[in-house]
Every structure is written in C-alpha cells, then in structure tokens.
Amino acid sequence: MQTPQLIQLEEILAARRDTRHFTDEVVPDEVLERALRAGHMAPSVGLTDATRYYVVKSKEVKQEIKKLFQKYNRKAADQIEDEAQKTAYAVLKLEAIVDAPLGLVVCYDRSVLNSFTIGTVASNDTIRFSAVCAVQNIWLSLTEQGYSMGWVSILDYYEFKNLLGLPEDIEPLSYFCVGKPATDYDKQPMLQQQGWKQKSAAPSVMEVEKVHLPVTPAFEPPHLHAPQNELLAERLQYIIDHKTKPTGALGVLEDLALQIGKVFNTTAPEVKHPHLVVFAADHGIAQHGVSAYPQEVTSQMVKNFIEGGAAINAFCQQHHITLSIVDAGVNYDFPPNLPILHHKMGRGTHSFLHGPAMTRNQVHTCLQKGSEVTTSIYQTGCNTIGFGEMGIGNTSTAAVLMSLLCHIPIEQCIGKGTGVVKEKLEKKQQLLKQAIENYQGEQDSFAILAHFGGFEILQMAGAMLQAKRKDMLLLIDGFISSVAFLCAYKIEPKVKENAVFCHQSDEAGHRLLLQTLGVNPLLQLGMRLGEGTGCAVAFPLLKSATAFLNEMASFERAGVSNKA
C-alpha cells in the first residue's frame, strides 16, 4: 500500500513538464532560493560542488540568447528532409526565452579536475552528470511549488558562453526558462500533446544474465616484404637523370618521383584513387583549459566535415581526393546513419595530468582499428592515403608524446595549438610540464603511448603501419599527424620509406620534429589548421612528380644533346 508521501512524490514526478508557455507572473525570490537549495542537495561526484548557477532577468540578455536559439533552430529545421515533418517542426514552440520571467543557466566548473577528484578517474563527464542531477532536483522543487522550467538546448554553447561572459573554467550545461506555467498541456509532455511523438508507455528494461568478455587481438607490427629493389632504384634514378633537363633541375620533384617509384615498385608509377582520412577524438587534458576552444568544437567540426563546409572538403573536392571521417573517440554520440566510420574507443581519453589517458589494451585496439581503416580503403584500389586529425587538446597530447619519445624538453615541443597565447599559453606549458613530472611509469614506447596518447593519434599510427604493409604512399600532414607518424616509426622504422611529409606547420615543435626524423617537408606555408589540409594542398606536387617521370622525354627520345 502506497503511503501519502509516496503518492505525493509520484504526483510531482508526473506533473513535471518541459514547459514552453509561461504567464508573466514574477518568480518570487524565495521560490528560486528553495529550488536552488534543492539543486545543491543533489549528488555531487567526489563532493566537488562543481555546479554553478547564473540568473538572467535582463530583457536585453534574453533577446541576445533568443537570437542564438533562432540561428541554430533554423539549422535544425534545414536538416529535416520530410516536408510534413518540417511543417510540424515549424509550429512547435521550442523555447520561451523572452516570455519566461526568469532565465537560469546551470554550469559546471571543470577547474575541479586540476586536482585529484574521487569518481572522475573513469570519466571526466561525472562533474557534468552531477549538474544534471542538480537540474532534476531544481525542476521537481519548482513543480512542487507550482512553477516550472523549459530546457533550451538548441544553442551554440561557445557563443552562448561568450555572450554571458562566463569565466574560462565554467562550462554551461544549458539555459532554462523559469516561471509559472500557463498550461498543463492536458497533463502530457508538450511534444506528445502537439502530436510530434508519443512517449512510450513503459520504460525499456533488460536483464543482463551473463558476462561478455571482449576479445581484443593484440596489434602485430607489419610483416614487411623484402627490402626495396636496389636495381629498380638505380633504374629510376637513371630515367630521372636522363630527362631533357640539367641533372637535379627539378629539385624536390626528382626526389619525390624516385620515392614514389620505389614505393609502387615500378618505373612508371601512377597515383590511384587518392584518399584522405580525418581521425577525430577528444582529449581529457582539454578539461584543464589548454585550448582556446571548448571541447564541443570537435564534434561540431566533424559535423562540418560531413556537411562539406571545412577547408579539407574544399581542397579534396578541388583535387578529386576521396575524404573519409573516423570517429575514433569524440565526446559526442553521432547517429549511426551518418557517413562516418564508427571506431569510437570512448568519449575522449582521460586526463593524463594525474593518471593514464588510456590502457595498454586500448593502445593495441587503436592500432588495430586504424589498420582496419586502411585495409578497407586499400580494397577500393587506392594506393595513396593522406592523414588528418581533429581533436580539441590534441596539440598538448602530441607535444608530450614528442617530448618523451624524442627526449626533447617539453618547452621546445609546445605551441599555440588552436591559438592560445600569453597567460593561457603559460598555463598550458605549466600543466604539461606537471603531467610529465607526475608520470612514474615505465619508459618503453607502449607505456608512454598508453599514459599520454590520444585515440585519433594512435588510430592514425595503426593506419600508417598498415599502409606501409600494403605498399601505399603515406601523406603526412602537420604537427599532430607527424607525431602519429612518430608513434608508428617507433614501432616500425621502415614506415619512413613510404612517408611524404607534406608541409612544415606553424606549430612550434614541428620543425624540430621533422629535423629529428631527418625528413624534409614539401611546403612551408605557415599553416597550422590540421584536418589533413597540408596533404591536400601538396597533392598536385605528387601529380607533377609522376607526370614528369612518365611523360617528359629523355635526351635520347627527344634528340637533344646531353651534357658532354
């Protein structure tokens, strides 16, 4: 038999609504204070008390927030292909930013992660989840008092944060409209009441009856073919030297032609079905403010790649290069039907400031998954593959890996990344130096990769090793991709034979890394975008190298006198 208290609680739960229609009645201070106290009572991982609240009463601020909503609402509407559904979406009232008497911004303070926090070792998202628990308590308290909230999630959170002038370490969870509800929506969820979708009658519950132990094969370094044919190399060099030009007159193009011929094992090499792969993932170290952009930008840029709006899309289209995107570990759940390769290792790595970013098993799995990406591309007839990346915080990961794998002081490896300068750059340097000082693990490569690695970096490394196994030409982009190559090189040095370093980026440390590897980049354009853009921009040079090798006449064929 249910007690009166239990009945009352269930009535409050049933009455809780995502409210979109409000009266203009002012929310009394005591009502808000009681609700926020309820929020403060919510579970907080490690007792961090990381949840923060901001109240909005200004009409001017509300109007600007509404503009942000409208911009993203139009973007959402444009993604609906079904015209009937698009019409139905247009009539839904999805926000009440201006109508509601009060706005509430619920945030979490990620600076708590700068010191060890109980409950965050497995996932940094637990501080965000604590804020969600607080939201539910606030919602129920307001409902019990006769008030309600409406959740506005259709926002660009980076612009939203800047608009509100929130401190660097404070991340908004969402914006909530607060006030007295003007309707009970016929005691239904608003979307159901308006015919958008029916809420399921009962929760989905399944019992787990047995243990499922995943079988992860250990990554095996490539079993390479016999050494490159020295007779072929001599024949290629002879052909290059006897074209109608002074010896060495085409400079780097001659070296490139020789390399391509050796990789493809022919005196008449042809670049076939060129492909570029962008590996994307998030990094736990980003929670400490090492980037000029929030972590959400990783998933937003992946969407931009899919929609064709990024620089790499333009360059790949220009040069007829097939582009693929890999979700190696983005802190976002992409729909399964999106045209991306789903190789997610997790929702980003852990922060390596106080502990390992991943496990050794994950290192092997990343290498294996990257290998699988290359294999599928190779099967399309591709013999030339470029590598790009996207991941907020990955210059920090790359800088530490470079420092430890090359035994170079971290200060010489750290750069601006996405554009951090002055105090923020100093903070980045201090954090990464502290992370290295905190490391007490082994010094072998795999131990370092596990403690400081990134999911996209190691999947790239695995893809590069497989490309070497398949006698493919590897196009290496900027700093991050070069560090991924460094990881592959530490496993199998012969991968260097197939690698073309497309450009020297403007990221501090890249020039030093290229020198350490003993390689020369094709271009130096002051770029530091990533995405594989350097590969695409340098691609015409490959075509020029094969063109002169295959089509340019020799002195003998052209009847031109060679030097005496």
Side-chain angles (χ1 to χ4, degrees), residues 244-515:
T244 49
K245 61 175 180 56
T247 302
L250 285 177
V252 173
L253 289 179
E254 298 191 16
D255 299 332
L256 191 56
L258 177 63
Q259 181 185 12
I260 295 172
K262 289 164 66 177
V263 169
F264 294 161
N265 196 34
T266 177
T267 58
E270 179 184 354
V271 172
K272 298 178 182 178
H273 306 291
H275 213 110
L276 196 143
V277 189
V278 178
F279 292 82
D282 279 306
H283 297 251
I285 195 66
Q287 295 282 357
H288 303 285
V290 295
S291 173
Y293 291 88
Q295 196 176 75
E296 288 81 3
V297 171
T298 303
S299 60
Q300 292 168 355
M301 281 303 299
V302 169
K303 295 174 188 175
N304 194 27
F305 297 147
I306 295 169
E307 295 168 1
I312 190 59
N313 297 102
F315 295 150
C316 282
Q317 184 175 6
Q318 178 187 14
H319 300 304
H320 307 290
I321 301 171
T322 302
L323 177 65
S324 293
I325 312 299
V326 177
D327 175 11
V330 180
N331 188 15
Y332 184 87
D333 293 320
F334 295 105
N337 61 351
L338 288 184
I340 60 177
L341 300 174
H342 298 276
H343 287 280
K344 188 188 290 289
M345 293 294 304
R347 294 173 64 92
T349 57
H350 304 312
S351 169
F352 55 67
L353 182 59
H354 299 291
M358 64 179 79
T359 65
R360 281 203 182 215
N361 184 56
Q362 287 179 312
V363 173
H364 284 279
T365 304
C366 280
L367 295 171
Q368 185 62 39
K369 285 181 177 290
S371 173
E372 292 169 4
V373 170
T374 295
T375 298
S376 64
I377 291 172
Y378 174 78
Q379 290 171 348
T380 68
C382 169
N383 66 1
T384 302
I385 183 170
F387 299 94
E389 43 64 41
M390 178 63 217
I392 294 299
N394 63 8
T395 56
S396 294
T397 299
V400 175
L401 289 174
M402 172 186 168
S403 174
L404 293 175
L405 294 176
C406 297
H407 308 289
I408 297 172
I410 185 63
E411 292 82 2
Q412 299 180 41
C413 306
I414 299 172
K416 293 181 290 185
T418 52
V420 293
V421 294
K422 298 181 181 178
E423 296 87 358
K424 200 171 181 69
L425 182 58
E426 292 176 5
K427 178 182 178 182
K428 178 179 180 179
Q429 292 170 340
Q430 292 169 359
L431 278 167
L432 300 189
K433 188 174 182 181
Q434 184 62 53
I436 292 175
E437 291 174 356
N438 291 344
Y439 179 58
Q440 300 297 320
E442 300 173 16
Q443 294 302 314
D444 70 278
S445 296
F446 275 89
I448 291 171
L449 294 181
H451 196 94
F452 295 102
F455 292 145
E456 84 282 30
I457 291 174
L458 293 178
Q459 287 197 27
M460 263 196 292
M464 292 174 184
L465 289 169
Q466 181 67 351
K468 168 61 179 174
R469 182 188 286 121
K470 296 294 186 181
D471 296 324
M472 300 171 76
L473 195 66
L474 288 67
L475 308 185
I476 312 299
D477 188 30
F479 181 54
I480 315 297
S481 297
S482 295
V483 170
F485 173 83
L486 173 65
C487 298
Y489 178 77
K490 288 293 180 178
I491 296 171
E492 175 48 73
K494 288 185 178 180
V495 70
K496 184 176 173 182
E497 297 171 346
N498 294 49
V500 175
F501 292 82
C502 294
H503 77 120
Q504 177 185 308
S505 82
D506 198 36
E507 181 68 14
H510 194 210
R511 176 181 60 82
L512 183 56
L513 177 57
L514 295 177
Q515 289 177 350

Side-chain angles (χ1 to χ4, degrees), residues 17 184-185 187-194 197 199:
R17 291 283 172 265
D184 65 359
Y185 302 108
K187 296 183 179 181
Q188 304 176 62
M190 185 269 290
L191 294 180
Q192 179 171 301
Q193 189 251 357
Q194 296 189 14
K197 190 175 182 181
K199 187 177 182 64

